């Protein structure tokens, strides 16, 4: 009996795949339209935007620190050049 059912199902596997696809689409549509899914999506998007904002602030802080280090290095290099020149004149 089971073998007969399996053989007939195997003969019509394309129809079964089609029906399974329709069932998956209907269930998926119901899930995507539910209020719970929308709430989770909104909360997730809010967290993503918060992370993005914090990341942008961190990147700006890193850029500011790098500019400060670069400015300090240029000033130190100028001081070193000035010290060398005055030392040679004496």
């Amino acid at each position: 009996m089971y073998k007969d059912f399996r053989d007939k199902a195997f003969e019509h596997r394309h129809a079964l795949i089609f029906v399974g696809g329709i069932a998956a689409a209907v269930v998926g549509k119901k899930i995507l339209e539910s209020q719970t899914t929308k709430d989770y999506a909104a909360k997730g998007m809010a967290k993503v935007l918060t992370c993005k904002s914090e990341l942008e602030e961190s990147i700006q802080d890193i850029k500011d620190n790098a500019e400060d280090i670069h400015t300090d290095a240029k000033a130190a290099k100028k001081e070193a050049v000035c010290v060398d020149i005055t030392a040679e004149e004496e």
Side-chain angles (χ1 to χ4, degrees):
M1 181 170 152
Y2 176 72
K3 185 177 180 191
D4 293 337
F5 177 74
R6 187 184 66 187
D7 289 341
K8 284 189 180 190
F10 190 71
E11 288 175 12
H12 302 288
R13 69 180 180 271
H14 297 296
L16 290 173
I17 292 171
F18 179 73
V19 170
I22 290 174
V26 169
V27 170
K29 184 177 182 227
K30 293 289 182 183
I31 291 171
L32 290 175
E33 289 179 346
S34 73
Q35 189 62 37
T36 305
T37 304
K38 290 178 184 178
D39 291 342
Y40 282 125
K43 288 177 185 177
M45 185 56 69
K47 287 183 181 181
V48 167
L49 292 175
T50 301
C51 289
K52 179 185 174 217
S53 169
E54 291 174 359
L55 181 63
E56 287 174 346
E57 289 176 12
S58 296
I59 290 173
Q60 188 60 43
D61 289 343
I62 292 170
K63 285 180 181 179
D64 292 342
N65 289 338
E67 287 175 2
D68 291 343
I69 291 169
H70 184 258
T71 304
D72 292 345
K74 284 173 78 175
K77 185 176 180 182
K78 283 183 181 181
E79 285 180 17
V81 169
C82 291
V83 169
D84 289 344
I85 291 174
T86 56
E88 289 178 9
E89 289 177 2
E90 295 175 357

